[in-house]
Amino acid sequence: MATPAPAAIECRNLWQVFGPDAESQLSAAMEQAGGDPDVAAGNLKEKGYIPAVRDANFEVMPGELFVIMGLSGSGKSTLIRCISHLLGATSGEIRIEGEDIVSASKKRLIELRRKKLGMVFQHFGLFPHMSVADNVGFPLKVQGVSRKERRQRAMEVISLVGLEGREDAFPRELSGGQRQRVGIARSLAVNPDIWFLDEPFSALDPLIRRQLQDEFLNIQATLKKSIVFITHDITEALKLADRIAIMRDGKIVQIGTPAEIVLNPADDYVREFSRDVAKGQHACVDSVMRPLDQKPDNMPDDPGLRPGMTLDAALAACMQCYEPVPVHDENGVLTGIVHPADLVAALQVETK
Amino acid sequence: MSIAEPAPVTAPWVGRLTPGTRAALITLIAGAVTLLLAPYLPWITIWPDAWTLPATQWVDTGLGLVLNLIKPAARWFSWLMEFPMTWANFALVSTPWPLVIGVVTALGWYLGGASMAALGFLGLIFVLASGYWVESMNTLALVAVSVPLAVLTGGAIGILANEVPRVKSAVQAVLDIMQTVPTFAYLTPLLLLFGFGPVVGLIASAIYAAPPMARNVILGLERVEPEIKEAAMMSGGNRLQQLFLVEIPTARLQIMVGVNQCLMAALSMVIIAAVIGGFNDIGWEVLLTMRKAQFGQALLAGLVIVVFAVVIDRMSATLATDRRRFDARVTYGILGATVIVTALSLGFLPDPATLTLLDPVADSVDSSLGDFTAANGAALNTIKNGAMFYGLLPLRIGLDEAVLPFTWGFSWTPAMSAGLFAAAALIGAVMALRGNVVGGLVVLIGAGILETGVAQMPWPFVLIAVAALGWVASGWRLAVISVLLLSTILISGLWERALLSLYLSGAAVFACAVVGGAIGLLCAVSPLAWKIMRPISDMLQTIPLFVFLIPVLMFFQIGEFSAFLAICAYAIVPMIRYTRHGLVTTPDELIEAATSSGATEWQIMRDVRAPYAAPTILLGLNQTILYAFAMLVIAALIGTTGLGQSIYLALGQADVGLGVSSGAAMAILALVADRLVQGFAEERRKALGL
C-alpha cells in the first residue's frame, strides 16, 4: 500500500498449535517442510498435534468491519482468541495499532484491555451474580472507577443498546436477546477502539438475530470501531462485512469483499458456501462491467445503470434488453458497458 | 450374501477368549493350585513371620522422630487454638439459652423462611429438654472453631490447585487418600502431637473436614464457564480481580455445597473424637451411657446429635441453592423478641443441666427395651445366630471349618467339599455352554472361596485374583499398582487382619448391594416407594456414623453381627440412591424407542434401563464400599476384629506405629477396591459411549 497508515490490527504468519511443546515442534516442522505452511501443518497433524490456526496473514483497517467466517472447528474462535491474546499464539506477529502484543508484558496487556479492547461472547459470558448495571460497569470497576461514575457510564451504554429500565435485573431474568445486549453494552463500557465479537448472534433465534444485526450496524455507523467479527453464517457475514476472511481447517482460504467472495470464490470450498446465496443482493454492476474499449458501435438501450447498483436492480432494469448497455457514473460520465447475458450468468445459482 | 469371509488366521483357542474369560481362568487355576498345595506348603495360607518386615516398628520410629521434631510447633498451635476454643465455649455455654434458641430461629428464618425457623426452634427445644444442653454447646463450640479452620484451609488448597495446574493432580491424589484413611487413624499421631484434650478433636475434625471443601472449590472453579473467565480477562481484570470478583462468586453454589459437607464432616468427627475422652461433650455422653448399657439415655443423647446434624445440614444446604430472600423484618422481629424475653426472664431461667423433662421417656425406653428383649430374647438370638452360623461364619472361615455339629448340626466332610465343587462345576458348565463363560468360571471361584473362607484365602490367590480384576477393569497399570499396594500389607504382617476386615466389609457390601439394589429398583418403578425411602435415605446420610451403633447395640449386644448391621445401615444408602437414579435417568428417547418396538415394562427395565444404568450403579457400589470401610473402623467400638480393632487398640495404647500402619492398610484396601470398581464403571461408560 502506498500510504503506510497503521492498521488497527495486523497479523503476520500467525500460528496456533495445540499439543505439548508446540513451539519447538512447529519450528522444526516448518524447517522440515522448507517453509511451506501446508506441508508443515500436515506433518504436525500426523504427530498428533492440532494446528488450529496456520499461517494467518491479514490486517484490519481503522473503522473496518472485518468478518472471519468458517464452519465449527475451522479455527475461527481460536484465531480471535489469539488476537485478543486470551490464548498465547504459538508463533507469528500480532500488532494492534502498530504495537506488538505478542511480546507485551502482562501489565501492558491488562492496560490494553482496560482502554482499547472490548469483546462479546457467543454465550454472553455474563457474570451471574451481578446485575445488568454491575455487569456493564465491571470493566470500569477493575480500573478503580468510582461507583457513581460507573453507574453513569453503564447507564449510557445500556441505553445505547436499548435496555433502559432493565439495569437492575439479573442475567437469569433476561431473554437471550437481552442478555447479548448486556454483553454488547459491557464490551463498549470503556469505549474501546477495537471490538471483538465471537459469534455474538449465533445463540439467538432468527428473528432476534436479524434485529440485533440491524442495531449492531446502526451502532457501528455512529461509533466506527475497528471490528473483528466471527460467524459461521454466510448470510450474516455478507450482510455485515466490509471484508470477509474465510477459514478452513485453520487456514484462511480467501479474503475479500462480499462481492468478491460471492462472484469469484477462490476454491470449491468457498463456492460451496456462496451457492445458496442470493448473489444479486451482494454484487454490484461494476463486478460484471466491461471496459469502454469493448464498446459496440451502437447501444440502442440505456436503462440507466450505475456502477454501484446491485445486480438484482440492474437485471430488473435490463429485462427488455438484449444488446450491451452503457453504465454511467454519478456525474453522467460513461464508465463502461454491461452485457445483459453477463448479468444473467453472474446470477446463475450454481448447480454443480 | 455369500461373500467369503477371510479365514481366521489359525487362531489357537486361547486367542479367542475374551480378556474377562482369560482373567477368570487364570484366577481359577491359581485358586485350584493354591488349594491343592496348601496342605503341603503352609506358607501359602499363612504368611510366615520370618518373611515379615517390622514395618510397623519402622513407622513407629520414623513417625516418632518426625512427630517429636514438630511437636513444639504443634504444642504452640495447640496453645494458640485454646483461645478461640475458650471464647467459643464461653460464648455458647454462658449465653442464656433463650438467646441461643432465638438466634438460631432467626437464622433459620433468614436462611429458609418459616420451615427452617421452625426446625431450628423445635430442634433446640428438644436439646434443651433432653438435659444435654451444656454438652451440646461444648460440641458446638468445637465445631464452630474447626469449621472456619477447615473452610479456610480447604478453600486455600482448592484455590492453589486451581491456580497451579501442575500441583492439581497431586493435590487431588492427597485428597483421595485423606478421605480413605479411617478417621480413628488420624487420632493416634494427633494425640502424641497435641496431647490429651479437646484440641485433638478440633484438629482431627478440621483435617477431616477440609478435603470436601477443597474438592468442591476445585470443582466449582473448574466449572465456571470459559466465556465468563474470558469476559473477566477481557474486562482488564488482573488475576486476583478475576478470581475474587468473578470466578469465586460464580462458583459460589458449588463452594457452598463444600461448606455444607465441611460442616457435616466436622460435626461427625468432633463426635468420633470423643473416644479419646477428657471433654464433656455429647459424643462422650453417648459413649459413656452406651458403656453403662443405659440405652434410653444413649438413645436420647444420640437423638440430640441427630437433631444437630439435621439442623446444621438443612440450614447450610439452603446456602447452596439460589435461595429466595425472606423478609428481613421478621428476622429482626425474632431477634428483638428474643432479647426482650431473655432480659425479662434473666434470673428465673432454670439451669439447663437440671432439666430432665425427657428422662422419663428415656427410662421408659429402657424398661420397655428390657421387656422387649426379655420377651423376644430367643427370637433375637435366633436371628443373630442364624446370620452368624449360616452367613458370616462360613464366609469368614469357610464351610470346612464353620460347619460343625454345634452350628449346623453335622460335620463337614471331604465328600461334601467334593459335592460342593461338583455342583459348582455343573452350574458353571451349564452357564458356559449358554454363552456366559466368565459367569461359569466365577461360580467355580466362588465355590472355592466359600470352601476356604475369605479370612483364610491363600495370599498368592488373592494377589493373582486382584491382578486379574485390575487387568480386566483398566489394564496392566492398575493390576501392578494394586498388587504392589496389597504386598505392602502382606510384608508388614497385617495381612490376616486385613483379610478379616475385608471379610466383614465384603459381607456388608454384598448385603447392601443385594438389598440396596432391590430397594433402588423398587423405588425406580414405584414413586410411592421412593417417597417413603427418600426421607429415610436423607436421614441415614445425615446421621453421624457414631449414632448407628446405639440401636444395633440395644438389640444385639456387642459382637460381629451388630457391627455388620451398623455397617449395612450406613452403607446401604448410596446403593439405593444410585441404583434408582441410574434407572430413572435413562433418556426418554430410549424408552420411547423400546416402547414403540413393543417391549413390556419389565423388558424395558432389563434390556434398556439396567444396561444404561450400569455405570451409575457401579459408582453407587463404589460409594457403598467406601462407606463400609469408613464405618468398619467406628464399628470396632462394638466388637469387630481386624484392622479396625488394631486402629482402636493403637489409640488406647498411643501406639503410633500400629495405628498408622493399620490405617494405611485400611486405606490401601479402600483405594484398591475404589480403583477396581471405578475401572469397571469407566469401562462400561466407554462401552456405552457416555
PDB file of all heavy atoms in Angstrom, chain B residues 199-221:
ATOM      1  N   VAL B 199      -8.354 -30.166  71.910  1.00  0.00           N
ATOM      2  CA  VAL B 199      -7.675 -29.663  70.712  1.00  0.00           C
ATOM      3  C   VAL B 199      -7.493 -30.778  69.692  1.00  0.00           C
ATOM      4  O   VAL B 199      -7.602 -30.557  68.490  1.00  0.00           O
ATOM      5  CB  VAL B 199      -6.317 -29.028  71.078  1.00  0.00           C
ATOM      6  CG1 VAL B 199      -5.556 -28.667  69.830  1.00  0.00           C
ATOM      7  CG2 VAL B 199      -6.534 -27.799  71.920  1.00  0.00           C
ATOM      8  N   VAL B 200      -7.250 -32.008  70.161  1.00  0.00           N
ATOM      9  CA  VAL B 200      -7.081 -33.123  69.227  1.00  0.00           C
ATOM     10  C   VAL B 200      -8.344 -33.299  68.385  1.00  0.00           C
ATOM     11  O   VAL B 200      -8.275 -33.441  67.162  1.00  0.00           O
ATOM     12  CB  VAL B 200      -6.766 -34.415  70.003  1.00  0.00           C
ATOM     13  CG1 VAL B 200      -6.740 -35.593  69.045  1.00  0.00           C
ATOM     14  CG2 VAL B 200      -5.450 -34.276  70.711  1.00  0.00           C
ATOM     15  N   GLY B 201      -9.487 -33.264  69.062  1.00  0.00           N
ATOM     16  CA  GLY B 201     -10.741 -33.392  68.332  1.00  0.00           C
ATOM     17  C   GLY B 201     -10.904 -32.265  67.329  1.00  0.00           C
ATOM     18  O   GLY B 201     -11.340 -32.475  66.192  1.00  0.00           O
ATOM     19  N   LEU B 202     -10.501 -31.081  67.745  1.00  0.00           N
ATOM     20  CA  LEU B 202     -10.598 -29.905  66.880  1.00  0.00           C
ATOM     21  C   LEU B 202      -9.760 -30.092  65.618  1.00  0.00           C
ATOM     22  O   LEU B 202     -10.243 -29.928  64.491  1.00  0.00           O
ATOM     23  CB  LEU B 202     -10.111 -28.681  67.658  1.00  0.00           C
ATOM     24  CG  LEU B 202     -10.066 -27.380  66.886  1.00  0.00           C
ATOM     25  CD1 LEU B 202     -11.435 -26.754  66.895  1.00  0.00           C
ATOM     26  CD2 LEU B 202      -9.041 -26.449  67.465  1.00  0.00           C
ATOM     27  N   ILE B 203      -8.479 -30.444  65.828  1.00  0.00           N
ATOM     28  CA  ILE B 203      -7.573 -30.599  64.685  1.00  0.00           C
ATOM     29  C   ILE B 203      -8.046 -31.749  63.803  1.00  0.00           C
ATOM     30  O   ILE B 203      -8.090 -31.634  62.579  1.00  0.00           O
ATOM     31  CB  ILE B 203      -6.135 -30.900  65.159  1.00  0.00           C
ATOM     32  CG1 ILE B 203      -5.697 -29.878  66.195  1.00  0.00           C
ATOM     33  CG2 ILE B 203      -5.180 -30.961  63.985  1.00  0.00           C
ATOM     34  CD1 ILE B 203      -5.250 -28.596  65.653  1.00  0.00           C
ATOM     35  N   ALA B 204      -8.413 -32.871  64.450  1.00  0.00           N
ATOM     36  CA  ALA B 204      -8.843 -34.026  63.663  1.00  0.00           C
ATOM     37  C   ALA B 204     -10.045 -33.663  62.809  1.00  0.00           C
ATOM     38  O   ALA B 204     -10.101 -34.011  61.634  1.00  0.00           O
ATOM     39  CB  ALA B 204      -9.190 -35.197  64.585  1.00  0.00           C
ATOM     40  N   SER B 205     -10.976 -32.922  63.389  1.00  0.00           N
ATOM     41  CA  SER B 205     -12.170 -32.623  62.596  1.00  0.00           C
ATOM     42  C   SER B 205     -11.838 -31.621  61.504  1.00  0.00           C
ATOM     43  O   SER B 205     -12.392 -31.695  60.411  1.00  0.00           O
ATOM     44  CB  SER B 205     -13.322 -32.147  63.483  1.00  0.00           C
ATOM     45  OG  SER B 205     -13.182 -30.798  63.789  1.00  0.00           O
ATOM     46  N   ALA B 206     -10.906 -30.706  61.777  1.00  0.00           N
ATOM     47  CA  ALA B 206     -10.504 -29.772  60.714  1.00  0.00           C
ATOM     48  C   ALA B 206      -9.832 -30.525  59.577  1.00  0.00           C
ATOM     49  O   ALA B 206     -10.087 -30.256  58.402  1.00  0.00           O
ATOM     50  CB  ALA B 206      -9.585 -28.697  61.262  1.00  0.00           C
ATOM     51  N   ILE B 207      -8.976 -31.502  59.931  1.00  0.00           N
ATOM     52  CA  ILE B 207      -8.296 -32.280  58.886  1.00  0.00           C
ATOM     53  C   ILE B 207      -9.309 -33.082  58.088  1.00  0.00           C
ATOM     54  O   ILE B 207      -9.229 -33.190  56.869  1.00  0.00           O
ATOM     55  CB  ILE B 207      -7.267 -33.241  59.516  1.00  0.00           C
ATOM     56  CG1 ILE B 207      -6.122 -32.447  60.131  1.00  0.00           C
ATOM     57  CG2 ILE B 207      -6.725 -34.223  58.483  1.00  0.00           C
ATOM     58  CD1 ILE B 207      -5.084 -33.313  60.800  1.00  0.00           C
ATOM     59  N   TYR B 208     -10.278 -33.647  58.787  1.00  0.00           N
ATOM     60  CA  TYR B 208     -11.254 -34.497  58.130  1.00  0.00           C
ATOM     61  C   TYR B 208     -12.215 -33.669  57.280  1.00  0.00           C
ATOM     62  O   TYR B 208     -12.709 -34.138  56.247  1.00  0.00           O
ATOM     63  CB  TYR B 208     -12.022 -35.264  59.201  1.00  0.00           C
ATOM     64  CG  TYR B 208     -13.026 -36.242  58.685  1.00  0.00           C
ATOM     65  CD1 TYR B 208     -12.620 -37.312  57.889  1.00  0.00           C
ATOM     66  CD2 TYR B 208     -14.365 -36.129  59.008  1.00  0.00           C
ATOM     67  CE1 TYR B 208     -13.542 -38.226  57.429  1.00  0.00           C
ATOM     68  CE2 TYR B 208     -15.285 -37.045  58.544  1.00  0.00           C
ATOM     69  CZ  TYR B 208     -14.868 -38.086  57.750  1.00  0.00           C
ATOM     70  OH  TYR B 208     -15.785 -38.992  57.295  1.00  0.00           O
ATOM     71  N   ALA B 209     -12.468 -32.431  57.705  1.00  0.00           N
ATOM     72  CA  ALA B 209     -13.483 -31.629  57.022  1.00  0.00           C
ATOM     73  C   ALA B 209     -12.912 -30.786  55.887  1.00  0.00           C
ATOM     74  O   ALA B 209     -13.663 -30.286  55.053  1.00  0.00           O
ATOM     75  CB  ALA B 209     -14.203 -30.725  58.025  1.00  0.00           C
ATOM     76  N   ALA B 210     -11.582 -30.612  55.856  1.00  0.00           N
ATOM     77  CA  ALA B 210     -11.005 -29.756  54.816  1.00  0.00           C
ATOM     78  C   ALA B 210     -11.110 -30.361  53.411  1.00  0.00           C
ATOM     79  O   ALA B 210     -11.402 -29.630  52.460  1.00  0.00           O
ATOM     80  CB  ALA B 210      -9.557 -29.408  55.152  1.00  0.00           C
ATOM     81  N   PRO B 211     -10.868 -31.679  53.220  1.00  0.00           N
ATOM     82  CA  PRO B 211     -10.906 -32.209  51.850  1.00  0.00           C
ATOM     83  C   PRO B 211     -12.212 -31.969  51.097  1.00  0.00           C
ATOM     84  O   PRO B 211     -12.155 -31.553  49.938  1.00  0.00           O
ATOM     85  CB  PRO B 211     -10.621 -33.707  52.035  1.00  0.00           C
ATOM     86  CG  PRO B 211      -9.853 -33.793  53.292  1.00  0.00           C
ATOM     87  CD  PRO B 211     -10.383 -32.707  54.170  1.00  0.00           C
ATOM     88  N   PRO B 212     -13.392 -32.207  51.703  1.00  0.00           N
ATOM     89  CA  PRO B 212     -14.592 -31.935  50.906  1.00  0.00           C
ATOM     90  C   PRO B 212     -14.686 -30.471  50.468  1.00  0.00           C
ATOM     91  O   PRO B 212     -15.134 -30.173  49.364  1.00  0.00           O
ATOM     92  CB  PRO B 212     -15.758 -32.304  51.833  1.00  0.00           C
ATOM     93  CG  PRO B 212     -15.195 -32.561  53.154  1.00  0.00           C
ATOM     94  CD  PRO B 212     -13.737 -32.834  52.988  1.00  0.00           C
ATOM     95  N   MET B 213     -14.224 -29.576  51.349  1.00  0.00           N
ATOM     96  CA  MET B 213     -14.215 -28.157  50.977  1.00  0.00           C
ATOM     97  C   MET B 213     -13.300 -27.938  49.771  1.00  0.00           C
ATOM     98  O   MET B 213     -13.700 -27.319  48.773  1.00  0.00           O
ATOM     99  CB  MET B 213     -13.713 -27.347  52.184  1.00  0.00           C
ATOM    100  CG  MET B 213     -13.723 -25.867  51.971  1.00  0.00           C
ATOM    101  SD  MET B 213     -15.420 -25.242  51.883  1.00  0.00           S
ATOM    102  CE  MET B 213     -15.111 -23.692  51.080  1.00  0.00           C
ATOM    103  N   ALA B 214     -12.080 -28.466  49.881  1.00  0.00           N
ATOM    104  CA  ALA B 214     -11.110 -28.275  48.793  1.00  0.00           C
ATOM    105  C   ALA B 214     -11.653 -28.847  47.485  1.00  0.00           C
ATOM    106  O   ALA B 214     -11.581 -28.203  46.433  1.00  0.00           O
ATOM    107  CB  ALA B 214      -9.788 -28.955  49.148  1.00  0.00           C
ATOM    108  N   ARG B 215     -12.225 -30.050  47.568  1.00  0.00           N
ATOM    109  CA  ARG B 215     -12.775 -30.697  46.381  1.00  0.00           C
ATOM    110  C   ARG B 215     -13.831 -29.845  45.697  1.00  0.00           C
ATOM    111  O   ARG B 215     -13.829 -29.675  44.488  1.00  0.00           O
ATOM    112  CB  ARG B 215     -13.468 -31.967  46.815  1.00  0.00           C
ATOM    113  CG  ARG B 215     -12.824 -33.192  46.371  1.00  0.00           C
ATOM    114  CD  ARG B 215     -13.609 -34.341  46.949  1.00  0.00           C
ATOM    115  NE  ARG B 215     -12.700 -35.263  47.546  1.00  0.00           N
ATOM    116  CZ  ARG B 215     -11.902 -36.026  46.827  1.00  0.00           C
ATOM    117  NH1 ARG B 215     -11.935 -35.968  45.522  1.00  0.00           N
ATOM    118  NH2 ARG B 215     -11.063 -36.843  47.408  1.00  0.00           N
ATOM    119  N   ASN B 216     -14.742 -29.304  46.502  1.00  0.00           N
ATOM    120  CA  ASN B 216     -15.828 -28.520  45.910  1.00  0.00           C
ATOM    121  C   ASN B 216     -15.336 -27.191  45.362  1.00  0.00           C
ATOM    122  O   ASN B 216     -15.875 -26.689  44.379  1.00  0.00           O
ATOM    123  CB  ASN B 216     -16.949 -28.304  46.924  1.00  0.00           C
ATOM    124  CG  ASN B 216     -17.838 -29.517  47.054  1.00  0.00           C
ATOM    125  OD1 ASN B 216     -18.594 -29.819  46.159  1.00  0.00           O
ATOM    126  ND2 ASN B 216     -17.698 -30.245  48.154  1.00  0.00           N
ATOM    127  N   VAL B 217     -14.314 -26.623  45.998  1.00  0.00           N
ATOM    128  CA  VAL B 217     -13.749 -25.387  45.450  1.00  0.00           C
ATOM    129  C   VAL B 217     -13.122 -25.682  44.093  1.00  0.00           C
ATOM    130  O   VAL B 217     -13.346 -24.959  43.109  1.00  0.00           O
ATOM    131  CB  VAL B 217     -12.722 -24.778  46.423  1.00  0.00           C
ATOM    132  CG1 VAL B 217     -11.952 -23.657  45.747  1.00  0.00           C
ATOM    133  CG2 VAL B 217     -13.424 -24.254  47.662  1.00  0.00           C
ATOM    134  N   ILE B 218     -12.348 -26.771  44.024  1.00  0.00           N
ATOM    135  CA  ILE B 218     -11.722 -27.134  42.746  1.00  0.00           C
ATOM    136  C   ILE B 218     -12.801 -27.349  41.686  1.00  0.00           C
ATOM    137  O   ILE B 218     -12.750 -26.791  40.587  1.00  0.00           O
ATOM    138  CB  ILE B 218     -10.871 -28.410  42.899  1.00  0.00           C
ATOM    139  CG1 ILE B 218      -9.677 -28.155  43.817  1.00  0.00           C
ATOM    140  CG2 ILE B 218     -10.402 -28.905  41.542  1.00  0.00           C
ATOM    141  CD1 ILE B 218      -8.830 -29.379  44.077  1.00  0.00           C
ATOM    142  N   LEU B 219     -13.802 -28.156  42.051  1.00  0.00           N
ATOM    143  CA  LEU B 219     -14.874 -28.475  41.108  1.00  0.00           C
ATOM    144  C   LEU B 219     -15.599 -27.209  40.654  1.00  0.00           C
ATOM    145  O   LEU B 219     -15.837 -26.989  39.467  1.00  0.00           O
ATOM    146  CB  LEU B 219     -15.858 -29.433  41.788  1.00  0.00           C
ATOM    147  CG  LEU B 219     -16.927 -30.034  40.899  1.00  0.00           C
ATOM    148  CD1 LEU B 219     -16.272 -30.981  39.917  1.00  0.00           C
ATOM    149  CD2 LEU B 219     -17.956 -30.778  41.735  1.00  0.00           C
ATOM    150  N   GLY B 220     -15.942 -26.351  41.634  1.00  0.00           N
ATOM    151  CA  GLY B 220     -16.680 -25.139  41.315  1.00  0.00           C
ATOM    152  C   GLY B 220     -15.900 -24.244  40.368  1.00  0.00           C
ATOM    153  O   GLY B 220     -16.441 -23.754  39.381  1.00  0.00           O
ATOM    154  N   LEU B 221     -14.605 -24.053  40.666  1.00  0.00           N
ATOM    155  CA  LEU B 221     -13.813 -23.167  39.822  1.00  0.00           C
ATOM    156  C   LEU B 221     -13.608 -23.770  38.439  1.00  0.00           C
ATOM    157  O   LEU B 221     -13.595 -23.057  37.439  1.00  0.00           O
ATOM    158  CB  LEU B 221     -12.454 -22.888  40.482  1.00  0.00           C
ATOM    159  CG  LEU B 221     -12.532 -22.010  41.727  1.00  0.00           C
ATOM    160  CD1 LEU B 221     -11.161 -21.839  42.351  1.00  0.00           C
ATOM    161  CD2 LEU B 221     -13.119 -20.645  41.392  1.00  0.00           C
TER     162      LEU B 221
END
